[in-house]
Amino acid sequence: MSEQITKEVFDHLVGLAALQLEMDQAEYLRKQLNNQLKAIAELEAIPLEKDVPISLHGVPYEASLSAPPRADEWKPYPDPAGILAQVPQVVDGYIVVPDIPHTELK
Amino acid sequence: MEICDLNALDLARLVRSRQTSAVEVVKSCLERVAQVDGRPGSLEQKPLSDEDKKRVHAFITLAGENALRQAQRVDRMLAAGEDPGVLAGVPFTVKDIFCVQDTLTTAASKILANFTAPYTATPVQRMQDAGAILLGKVNLDEFTYGSSNESSAYQPSPRNPWNTDRVPGGSSGGSAASVAAGEAPLSLGTDTAGSIRQPAAFCGVVGVKPTYGRVSRYGLIAFASSLDCPGPVARDVKDAAAMLAVIAGSDERDSTAARLAVPDYLEGIEEGVKGLRIGLSPDYFRITYPDPASGELLSQPLPEEIARAVTEAAEKLSALGAEIVEGVPMPNTRFGIPAFFVISRVEAASNLHRYDGVKYGLRSEVPTADLKEMYKITRNQGFGLQPKLRILMGMFVSAAQYSEQYYRRALQVRTLIRQDFEAIFDPAGAYRLDALLTPTTPTTAFKMGALYGDSVLMQYADQLTVSANHAGVPGISLPAGLDDEGLPIGIQLLGADYAEKTLFRVARAYEMATQEADWRKQKPEVLRGRS
């Protein structure tokens, strides 16, 4: 059974996605999402044995092919200034952002 | 023929033997860019002029001065008797989804318009270490989300050099267009559902999706981390093989890069196909399209011209000694797009969470009440429609109440798709194939604006390529003729894990067998009238 993305569900997704959409964009996107769900509904028709495993990736990871984790050694980054140069607002090496939302608890 | 029209291996040979200089090669490419490319993509919204509509617009950032400096360095090394590398003096373009140190790396998105990468992606570094010369960053669909390059925030978006009313394909549209237009012999692209192979087919060039993990993704701005594959776009098979040999290999900075020796892909590439088993599957001769009115998915035969290109290719390979195995079942191919809609969106939603205006990229200047407001306004301003669509779908299908129905199910279907490939390539199985021969795309290059806005129709442009991404197997698209309107047709070869050497061999055999074909003498529209 296909789920339809209602306006309420859509608005909730928009909140979770940390977006803030104009109305015409919101309508267009919601329509596209529902159209995509019609294509996705094809998956529901496939007879699947319960024991079909999931595949998180196609090519199997074998120990011989995978690089081991690197040694747990602390290495200073060579150019922190270069990284901080990208930050929109920096004061004394600290990244400055607006305050987090506060809720008064009663 | 101008220097910039030579293939990469010939250019490298001429430069290394000092019959020409790297500077001359770069100058020739820059001249070609000046002649055919037009204005680069930018965030400035200017109406398209008639002149714009006849140009390629492959680039976002052309780095001509830097390229000349690199070329001078190569020439100095050669003069001093040093070895600059196997691709010495060969210009290449890079899809602007790869970080290149001290260079704008935009992902064709406003949200990264001001981002200068602090490091260089491994595949780019390897090209430069081999003496290749970075000409510039080329355009793409925003964050690689698309199959036409039209979604780029940097407009004008690239146009197909064969017919500038047509799309170059996507998302590596700039890569394919820059190679087809003779601006550079090589380009580094990425393929997540067909984003190298499809534009290669549309633009009449060779495009390779390596096995997942064959090429490091370090420095690649991620779309879908289990599907993304960096790979070469080139004018011919040998060039593609040479480039893959340079960029492939393990990388301690990418734990998914396979620790497997990189073969000499050029060794034996012209051995021919005698004794190789090449399959044809009826499941690749039918295509699926959503009905515009109802949205219902309809099945129809592949367009006759494209089917004929594949069957004629099979006949040629058979005449060369290959055994053609017909009726190979690939029954789960048709579920590739529905599964991709789910898996790729979940991964994309996760990968895009980092763009929040805090550490890099766009931060909205609108005064905000708090951090959360800043996130929302920044992300709304910075992302185009395609990223927003992917984030929203990714969050929906991975939500707790839906993930079993959608995400888990899609991952199980991915297993079925993988099993289809394992069965046909199993050396002890019923088919024992060395390669599967298929069409690359369900159509040739469509008109600009024809599909953009319909996200389902656009995604189905990848229906013949996406299964290789789910399964992780390698694939190569190569030119196989022109349709009635003079647009390139591509054929695709798919292989077993890490079987790129075999695919190159088959592709090269086909290429050599069609060397004198009339269609190979045709030139893209933007190059006609040039000697």
Side-chain angles (χ1 to χ4, degrees), chain B residues 197-367:
Chain B
R197 290 163 287 157
Q198 184 252 32
F202 279 11
C203 290
V205 294
V206 175
V208 181
K209 175 217 163 296
T211 307
Y212 179 85
R214 180 72 282 189
V215 180
S216 168
R217 289 177 302 112
Y218 179 75
L220 165 61
I221 295 173
F223 166 6
S225 307
S226 77
L227 297 161
D228 291 341
C229 293
V233 179
R235 287 194 199 126
D236 61 31
V237 174
K238 286 172 74 173
D239 277 3
M243 182 168 166
L244 183 61
V246 165
I247 62 176
S250 68
D251 183 2
E252 64 176 15
R253 291 172 297 188
D254 176 5
S255 60
T256 64
R259 277 202 314 178
L260 197 66
V262 180
D264 180 349
Y265 292 122
L266 289 173
E267 188 263 321
I269 199 171
E270 294 182 347
E271 260 176 26
V273 294
K274 224 171 218 166
L276 293 185
R277 290 170 63 84
I278 298 171
L280 289 171
S281 171
D283 297 295
Y284 276 84
F285 282 78
R286 290 198 71 80
I287 55 175
T288 303
Y289 268 105
D291 177 68
S294 65
E296 191 194 340
L297 293 172
L298 307 171
S299 175
Q300 60 194 55
L302 193 63
E304 197 266 329
E305 281 182 302
I306 296 182
R308 191 168 61 236
V310 179
T311 52
E312 284 178 359
E315 285 163 11
K316 286 209 164 28
L317 292 167
S318 174
L320 292 171
E323 184 180 348
I324 305 299
V325 180
E326 296 191 54
V328 176
M330 296 290 286
N332 295 293
T333 294
R334 59 182 276 247
F335 302 119
I337 293 294
F340 184 77
F341 266 130
V342 175
I343 296 169
S344 69
R345 271 57 172 175
V346 171
E347 296 182 9
S350 173
N351 282 324
L352 288 182
H353 274 319
R354 69 194 69 184
Y355 303 107
D356 56 11
V358 173
K359 302 174 291 297
Y360 49 78
L362 176 74
R363 180 188 291 188
S364 171
E365 289 176 357
V366 172

Side-chain angles (χ1 to χ4, degrees), chain A residues 20 32 46 53 65 86 99, chain B residues 116 259 371 380 409 415 455:
Chain A
Q20 198 175 64
Q32 289 301 309
I46 306 166
L65 289 185
Q86 301 294 326
D99 200 0
Chain B
T116 299
R259 277 202 314 178
L371 185 59
N380 189 49
R409 196 166 182 88
T415 300
S455 62

Side-chain angles (χ1 to χ4, degrees), chain B residues 42-289:
Chain B
S42 81
L43 296 178
E44 196 186 347
Q45 300 292 319
K46 265 166 69 171
L48 281 181
S49 67
D50 288 342
E51 182 67 16
D52 285 335
K53 291 176 190 172
K54 292 185 225 157
R55 299 286 173 244
V56 177
H57 308 289
F59 284 86
I60 289 178
T61 305
L62 179 64
E65 289 305 314
N66 196 30
L68 285 167
R69 277 195 294 274
Q70 294 172 58
Q72 287 160 357
R73 181 176 167 271
V74 165
D75 288 335
R76 277 198 304 271
M77 287 180 77
L78 287 165
E82 294 164 22
D83 184 359
V86 296
L87 293 178
V90 177
F92 72 111
T93 60
V94 171
K95 186 177 183 181
D96 202 12
I97 197 68
F98 289 94
C99 290
V100 177
Q101 190 168 13
D102 300 329
T103 305
L104 279 177
T105 298
T106 68
S109 179
K110 271 188 216 165
I111 213 161
L112 286 178
N114 61 351
F115 176 65
T116 299
Y119 66 99
T120 298
T122 294
V124 178
Q125 190 63 60
R126 287 178 176 173
M127 287 291 284
Q128 292 182 307
D129 291 345
I133 295 178
L134 175 56
L135 211 57
K137 309 296 270 322
V138 288
N139 213 332
L140 61 151
D141 278 294
E142 185 178 2
F143 278 99
T144 80
Y145 301 159
S147 305
S148 68
N149 219 135
E150 294 168 295
S151 70
S152 173
Y154 286 73
Q155 297 288 324
S157 63
R159 291 174 171 257
N160 194 313
W162 286 85
N163 180 328
T164 54
D165 289 337
R166 303 283 174 141
V167 301
S171 57
S172 306
S175 286
S178 63
V179 171
E183 295 172 339
L186 299 173
S187 187
L188 179 66
T190 64
D191 191 307
T192 304
S195 285
I196 284 175
R197 290 163 287 157
Q198 184 252 32
F202 279 11
C203 290
V205 294
V206 175
V208 181
K209 175 217 163 296
T211 307
Y212 179 85
R214 180 72 282 189
V215 180
S216 168
R217 289 177 302 112
Y218 179 75
L220 165 61
I221 295 173
F223 166 6
S225 307
S226 77
L227 297 161
D228 291 341
C229 293
V233 179
R235 287 194 199 126
D236 61 31
V237 174
K238 286 172 74 173
D239 277 3
M243 182 168 166
L244 183 61
V246 165
I247 62 176
S250 68
D251 183 2
E252 64 176 15
R253 291 172 297 188
D254 176 5
S255 60
T256 64
R259 277 202 314 178
L260 197 66
V262 180
D264 180 349
Y265 292 122
L266 289 173
E267 188 263 321
I269 199 171
E270 294 182 347
E271 260 176 26
V273 294
K274 224 171 218 166
L276 293 185
R277 290 170 63 84
I278 298 171
L280 289 171
S281 171
D283 297 295
Y284 276 84
F285 282 78
R286 290 198 71 80
I287 55 175
T288 303
Y289 268 105

Side-chain angles (χ1 to χ4, degrees), chain A residues 1-58:
Chain A
M1 278 174 300
S2 291
E3 294 275 352
Q4 181 162 15
I5 297 176
T6 62
K7 190 176 180 307
E8 289 67 35
V9 169
F10 181 80
D11 289 344
H12 181 60
L13 291 174
V14 170
L16 292 176
L19 292 171
Q20 198 175 64
L21 303 174
E22 288 82 28
M23 205 151 53
D24 55 343
Q25 265 202 3
E27 258 322 289
Y28 166 76
L29 290 171
R30 190 167 77 84
K31 182 175 178 212
Q32 289 301 309
L33 289 174
N34 281 312
N35 286 347
Q36 290 179 17
L37 281 181
K38 288 181 193 163
I40 291 171
E42 285 269 288
L43 296 178
E44 293 163 28
I46 306 166
L48 270 181
E49 302 295 330
K50 274 211 159 81
D51 59 353
V52 172
I54 61 172
S55 286
L56 291 170
H57 40 76

